[in-house]
Amino acid sequence: MKNVDIRIAIKEAGLTHWEVASAYRLHEGNFSRLLRNELGDEGKRKVIEALEIAKKEKFG
């Protein structure tokens, strides 16, 4: 499985892929396809930023 660190971070944050995808401004299906291939450092940084945004939106 690719991007295991990101998948674990999403789960540990109590979020779903669609919530992070929304913050990343992608449809859930496109976000899932994005995670199929290992992301580089810049790609992972952008996803983590979206994860933080989604966390603030959900939990305040």
Side-chain angles (χ1 to χ4, degrees):
M1 184 182 310
K2 309 285 184 180
N3 298 302
V4 174
D5 52 341
I6 292 194
R7 295 171 193 273
I8 290 171
I10 292 170
K11 187 172 184 174
E12 288 178 349
L15 299 170
T16 61
H17 281 189
W18 74 263
E19 290 168 320
V20 178
S22 178
Y24 196 82
R25 305 259 189 240
L26 282 178
H27 290 285
E28 180 183 7
N30 292 336
F31 184 71
S32 292
R33 280 192 286 279
L34 177 74
L35 296 180
R36 287 181 190 169
N37 297 305
E38 193 66 34
L39 295 173
D41 292 339
E42 181 67 16
K44 287 185 180 193
R45 185 187 62 76
K46 289 180 180 180
V47 173
I48 295 299
E49 286 176 6
L51 185 147
E52 293 299 326
I53 291 168
K55 204 164 31 171
K56 286 179 186 172
E57 288 176 356
K58 185 171 184 176
F59 301 114

PDB file of all heavy atoms in Angstrom, residues 1 7 9-10 23 53:
ATOM      1  N   MET A   1       0.847  -1.170   0.000  1.00  0.00           N
ATOM      2  CA  MET A   1       0.000   0.000   0.000  1.00  0.00           C
ATOM      3  C   MET A   1       0.902   1.247   0.000  1.00  0.00           C
ATOM      4  O   MET A   1       1.893   1.307   0.701  1.00  0.00           O
ATOM      5  CB  MET A   1      -0.896  -0.012   1.235  1.00  0.00           C
ATOM      6  CG  MET A   1      -1.864   1.124   1.260  1.00  0.00           C
ATOM      7  SD  MET A   1      -2.939   1.216   2.719  1.00  0.00           S
ATOM      8  CE  MET A   1      -3.591  -0.406   2.834  1.00  0.00           C
ATOM      9  N   ARG A   7      -2.235   7.815   5.183  1.00  0.00           N
ATOM     10  CA  ARG A   7      -3.459   7.073   5.526  1.00  0.00           C
ATOM     11  C   ARG A   7      -3.584   6.927   7.047  1.00  0.00           C
ATOM     12  O   ARG A   7      -4.677   7.091   7.604  1.00  0.00           O
ATOM     13  CB  ARG A   7      -3.465   5.717   4.842  1.00  0.00           C
ATOM     14  CG  ARG A   7      -3.532   5.816   3.326  1.00  0.00           C
ATOM     15  CD  ARG A   7      -3.312   4.457   2.664  1.00  0.00           C
ATOM     16  NE  ARG A   7      -3.077   4.560   1.256  1.00  0.00           N
ATOM     17  CZ  ARG A   7      -4.025   4.586   0.323  1.00  0.00           C
ATOM     18  NH1 ARG A   7      -5.281   4.516   0.664  1.00  0.00           N
ATOM     19  NH2 ARG A   7      -3.701   4.668  -0.948  1.00  0.00           N
ATOM     20  N   ALA A   9      -2.198   8.948   9.300  1.00  0.00           N
ATOM     21  CA  ALA A   9      -2.444  10.286   9.846  1.00  0.00           C
ATOM     22  C   ALA A   9      -3.919  10.669   9.730  1.00  0.00           C
ATOM     23  O   ALA A   9      -4.490  11.257  10.660  1.00  0.00           O
ATOM     24  CB  ALA A   9      -1.567  11.313   9.138  1.00  0.00           C
ATOM     25  N   ILE A  10      -4.542  10.330   8.620  1.00  0.00           N
ATOM     26  CA  ILE A  10      -5.968  10.626   8.429  1.00  0.00           C
ATOM     27  C   ILE A  10      -6.792   9.868   9.461  1.00  0.00           C
ATOM     28  O   ILE A  10      -7.676  10.430  10.111  1.00  0.00           O
ATOM     29  CB  ILE A  10      -6.414  10.287   6.993  1.00  0.00           C
ATOM     30  CG1 ILE A  10      -5.765  11.257   5.996  1.00  0.00           C
ATOM     31  CG2 ILE A  10      -7.937  10.326   6.871  1.00  0.00           C
ATOM     32  CD1 ILE A  10      -5.951  10.864   4.539  1.00  0.00           C
ATOM     33  N   ALA A  23     -11.026  19.402   1.752  1.00  0.00           N
ATOM     34  CA  ALA A  23     -10.093  20.469   2.125  1.00  0.00           C
ATOM     35  C   ALA A  23      -8.998  20.634   1.075  1.00  0.00           C
ATOM     36  O   ALA A  23      -8.488  21.738   0.872  1.00  0.00           O
ATOM     37  CB  ALA A  23      -9.475  20.168   3.494  1.00  0.00           C
ATOM     38  N   ILE A  53      -6.427  21.468   7.846  1.00  0.00           N
ATOM     39  CA  ILE A  53      -7.608  22.295   7.568  1.00  0.00           C
ATOM     40  C   ILE A  53      -8.889  21.522   7.890  1.00  0.00           C
ATOM     41  O   ILE A  53      -9.804  22.039   8.538  1.00  0.00           O
ATOM     42  CB  ILE A  53      -7.604  22.776   6.093  1.00  0.00           C
ATOM     43  CG1 ILE A  53      -6.474  23.772   5.883  1.00  0.00           C
ATOM     44  CG2 ILE A  53      -8.949  23.374   5.711  1.00  0.00           C
ATOM     45  CD1 ILE A  53      -6.197  24.094   4.434  1.00  0.00           C
TER      46      ILE A  53
END
